[in-house]
Amino acid sequence: MAGLLCRLLLLCLAAAGASSDLVLEEVRRSLDLSTHLAKISAELSLSNTPGGAAASTFLLALEPGLEPRLAHLGVQVKGEEEEENTLEVKETKVKGKSGKFFSVKLPSPLAPGAKIRVSVEMVFTHVLQPYPTHITQSEKQFVVFEGNHYFYSPYVTKTQTTRVKLASRNVESYTKLGNPSRTEDMIEYGPFKDIPPYSQDTLKVHYENNSPFLTITSMTRVIEVSHWGNIAVEETVDLKHTGAVLKGPFSRYDYQRQPDSGISSVKSFKTILPAAAQDVYYRDEIGNISTSHLLVLDDSVEMEIRPRFPLFGGWKTHYIIGYNLPSYEYLYNLGDQYALKMRFVDHVFDEQVTDSLTVKIVLPEGAKNIHVDSPYEINRASDELHYTYLDTFGRPVIVAHKSNLVEQHIQDIVVHYTFNKILMLQEPLLVVGAFYILFFTVIVYVRLDFSITKDPAAEARMKVACITEQVLTLVNKRLGLYRHFDEAVNKYKQSRDISTLNSGKKSLEMEHKALTSEIASLQSKLKTEGSDLCDKVSEIQKLDGQVKELVLKSSVEAERLVAGKLKKDTYIENEKMHSNKRQDLVSKIDNILDAL
């Protein structure tokens, strides 16, 4: 009868797709229920029965009810020197069985009769259900966990122990299979002997758990890479307290006065940012949230985030946090080949749970041949284009999604791409070109008349301005004649050559007459235009006549001095007087010219 049962058991194992030669000699399982996560770790002693074939893989099974709750599964093998090596895990299917199965590749084939020690770590989310589901502000929070007394496996388990760690010593009830022992916040089950494959027996614990039941319902993480030395990171976070829903009103007075009021609520939490983070901001739709503190440590930047109100069960909040990072710490290149190595998701709070995560990585404009290496499976969406300052054809954006993440998912993702460095000149050239076009447009606009109809008044003003400019030029030129004639008089006094003086006087008369005639003609044009500037030009003409008279007097006295008809002292005195009068007249002319 026993032999028949053994044959049936072997046939069942073969039908299930599991190797009948593998046996779990010993299973030491631990359930950590001290937070809002269920962390299950198991130390397995796996053996291959003598006479069978070598096994290169073994199966891990997951109960059908826990499939959507599994966030992380990791398997490690311990070597002779207690070194842990992570094993490759792939999801597989077993014919005729429901639930999830995973194929674990051993570091080397397990020979018949050999044993290996394997460590399995599993993290489940949203398996602790508040009971009661609604509590008042003054009540404590109790939760219920339902699991399996046995390690769910496709193999025979010879012996198994289970240790359950709770959040407190206050336990309402728990299942008592095998007469478990309890000490403080610990419950120990077993040892259980000779457990058949796929054994299930409900393990249920109802206990007090006031740890923060925070859940990130939605999170968008945007990483914008610039080859000018900066990486901008911005995270938009939607938080919800998924514990027992607050029943009744909220009293701020009781909350501040009584230490145990709202004991399961969340006042604040700490976010760990990279050590190189700078220009950190924390805000929401209203604006900057000032109830936060930043602490710079040697290996990280610790930010205490305090929402505008404490979070009770069912309450939500939304905020945005951002910072800048130096690109040289995360961006590597060899020629035109670039690799960006950053975390896919970063630390938000201890024991974090993220229901839905969207990561957008904005690469520089011109990045091509994009390839992503992820430490775990992610869902790549179609790449997008992002336009910002000085972009022409848009920056490529990598979009990736993943759900049900925990702290074990805080790992680096590597993005490989190629980028031609000559494209870095694009933005400076665009700036230079924009300024060139702007200045050229202003020049054209100022110098050309784009009016459709003529403005007689504006034309008259422009004509008067043009005539006035000509008058200024001619008057200054005429005043220059006097300076040249003074030079001729000085030469005459030195050389006593009367021909030099006569030549200078003749030149003065001819050029002065021509300039005066032109100024008079312009004066008549101003009068025709009806401008009152013609009176000022007339005054200039009168003053200029007086200046000319003084110049000629000076030349006459110079002749008398040279001929000996005038004493030198008298000449010097008269010359000084004529010079002062002449200077006064020239000053008056200059003042009128400035007014014009």
Side-chain angles (χ1 to χ4, degrees), residues 288-339:
N288 182 59
I289 304 176
S290 59
T291 56
S292 59
H293 302 282
L294 200 67
L295 179 62
V296 180
L297 304 176
D298 292 337
D299 57 347
S300 64
V301 175
E302 188 177 279
M303 185 176 187
E304 181 186 6
I305 292 183
R306 186 179 295 270
R308 297 184 184 274
F309 48 84
L311 296 178
F312 285 84
W315 290 18
K316 304 176 182 179
T317 188
H318 170 88
Y319 69 88
I320 299 172
I321 185 171
Y323 51 90
N324 291 321
L325 296 170
S327 60
Y328 68 85
E329 292 192 10
Y330 302 91
L331 188 62
Y332 309 90
N333 79 294
L334 179 62
D336 290 342
Q337 302 290 328
Y338 285 82

Side-chain angles (χ1 to χ4, degrees), residues 144-170:
V144 172
F145 170 78
E146 290 190 8
N148 190 357
H149 281 107
Y150 305 115
F151 180 72
Y152 192 72
S153 172
Y155 308 113
V156 174
T157 304
K158 290 187 176 181
T159 179
Q160 176 203 322
T161 59
T162 299
R163 174 177 293 182
V164 182
K165 179 176 174 55
L166 306 176
S168 68
R169 67 179 67 181
N170 189 4

Side-chain angles (χ1 to χ4, degrees), residues 473-491 504 508 511-512 544 547 551 582-583 586 590 593:
T473 303
L474 294 175
V475 170
N476 287 323
K477 189 175 181 180
R478 190 168 60 181
L479 291 176
L481 295 177
Y482 301 137
R483 290 190 293 273
H484 290 300
F485 184 68
D486 290 340
E487 294 176 0
V489 171
N490 291 332
K491 288 181 180 179
L508 172 66
E511 293 185 20
H512 184 276
D544 180 76
V547 172
V551 170
R582 179 178 165 184
Q583 187 65 36
V586 172
D590 288 340
L593 291 177

Side-chain angles (χ1 to χ4, degrees), residues 69-85:
R69 307 297 187 185
L70 178 66
H72 169 72
L73 172 62
V75 183
Q76 295 178 328
V77 60
K78 291 187 177 181
E80 295 180 356
E81 299 179 359
E82 296 297 324
E83 294 181 356
E84 294 185 347
N85 298 319

Side-chain angles (χ1 to χ4, degrees), residues 83 94 126 142 211-213 218 328 336 432 453 495 553 560 565:
E83 294 181 356
V94 175
H126 304 300
F142 286 81
S211 60
F213 272 54
S218 176
Y328 68 85
D336 290 342
V432 172
T453 59
S495 63
K553 280 184 179 181
R560 292 178 63 195
K565 297 179 180 180

Side-chain angles (χ1 to χ4, degrees), residues 205-415:
V205 185
H206 185 202
Y207 65 103
E208 179 185 343
N209 188 345
N210 293 309
S211 60
F213 272 54
L214 272 183
T215 300
I216 303 172
T217 56
S218 176
M219 177 177 174
T220 301
R221 177 174 164 88
V222 179
I223 302 171
E224 188 169 348
V225 181
S226 171
H227 282 188
W228 294 100
N230 185 70
I231 298 177
V233 181
E234 184 175 88
E235 297 176 349
T236 304
V237 181
D238 290 309
L239 273 181
K240 182 180 180 180
H241 192 302
T242 51
V245 179
L246 178 65
K247 179 175 62 176
F250 165 65
S251 173
R252 173 73 70 173
Y253 174 74
D254 292 339
Y255 188 75
Q256 294 180 343
R257 183 174 62 90
Q258 300 175 2
D260 59 345
S261 179
I263 191 172
S264 61
S265 65
V266 178
K267 298 179 182 178
S268 64
F269 54 89
K270 291 182 180 179
T271 294
I272 307 300
L273 305 179
Q278 55 188 356
D279 305 326
V280 183
Y281 57 88
Y282 167 48
R283 64 171 182 258
D284 57 10
E285 289 87 350
I286 300 175
N288 182 59
I289 304 176
S290 59
T291 56
S292 59
H293 302 282
L294 200 67
L295 179 62
V296 180
L297 304 176
D298 292 337
D299 57 347
S300 64
V301 175
E302 188 177 279
M303 185 176 187
E304 181 186 6
I305 292 183
R306 186 179 295 270
R308 297 184 184 274
F309 48 84
L311 296 178
F312 285 84
W315 290 18
K316 304 176 182 179
T317 188
H318 170 88
Y319 69 88
I320 299 172
I321 185 171
Y323 51 90
N324 291 321
L325 296 170
S327 60
Y328 68 85
E329 292 192 10
Y330 302 91
L331 188 62
Y332 309 90
N333 79 294
L334 179 62
D336 290 342
Q337 302 290 328
Y338 285 82
L340 175 70
K341 186 177 182 182
M342 289 195 69
R343 289 178 174 177
F344 185 74
V345 60
D346 214 335
H347 180 277
V348 181
F349 51 83
D350 293 338
E351 308 295 346
Q352 68 187 46
V353 176
T354 306
D355 288 344
S356 176
L357 171 67
T358 299
V359 176
K360 296 184 178 182
I361 303 176
V362 184
L363 299 177
E365 189 176 33
K368 298 179 180 179
N369 304 322
I370 301 171
H371 173 68
V372 179
D373 290 334
S374 175
Y376 39 78
E377 184 180 354
I378 59 175
N379 298 321
R380 281 281 303 274
S382 300
D383 291 351
E384 301 175 353
L385 287 178
H386 175 72
Y387 293 91
T388 183
Y389 304 107
L390 303 177
D391 287 342
T392 53
F393 47 86
R395 304 186 181 190
V397 182
I398 300 172
V399 183
H401 304 281
K402 189 167 179 62
S403 58
N404 203 16
L405 294 94
V406 289
E407 283 188 350
Q408 284 77 4
H409 291 97
I410 302 178
Q411 299 182 43
D412 290 331
I413 185 173
V414 182
V415 179

